């Protein structure tokens, strides 16, 4: 089964660039453009990795990370913070 990455950034160009790179390697991508959407998709999609921007609309990346890491169900999903 292909790996799944959640890419979260409010800048479409960054999301599309990262998505292109991952998909070239055969990795499925899910995208989100704000913190609220990121949190919902992380919980419903259970990605293998999250690439998470720090400065996001609605909920910032630090809070998204904290909410996921303090939840036993999602705490083992690796998160790479970008800014």
């Amino acid at each position: 089964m292909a790996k799944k990455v959640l890419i979260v950034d409010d800048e479409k160009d960054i999301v599309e660039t990262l998505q292109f790179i991952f998909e070239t390697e055969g990795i499925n991508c899910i995208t989100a453009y704000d913190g609220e959407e990121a949190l919902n998709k992380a919980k419903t999609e259970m990605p293998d990795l999250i690439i998470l921007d720090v400065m996001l609309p609605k909920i910032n990346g630090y809070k998204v990370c904290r909410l996921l890491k303090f939840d036993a169900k999602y705490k083992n999903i690796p998160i790479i913070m970008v800014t």
Side-chain angles (χ1 to χ4, degrees), residues 2 8 18 21 26 34-35 37 41 45 50 56 58 60 66 69 71 79 81:
V8 186
L18 291 170
I21 293 166
D34 64 59
E37 183 183 15
K41 287 191 176 181
E45 298 286 339
I50 300 172
L56 292 169
K58 298 186 181 177
N60 72 46
R66 194 167 37 251
K69 291 301 179 182
D71 189 318
I79 299 174
M81 302 291 290

Side-chain angles (χ1 to χ4, degrees), residues 25-44:
E25 296 298 320
I27 298 169
N28 292 330
C29 295
I30 308 147
T31 60
Y33 295 92
D34 64 59
E36 190 175 285
E37 183 183 15
L39 203 52
N40 290 335
K41 287 191 176 181
K43 290 179 176 183
T44 58

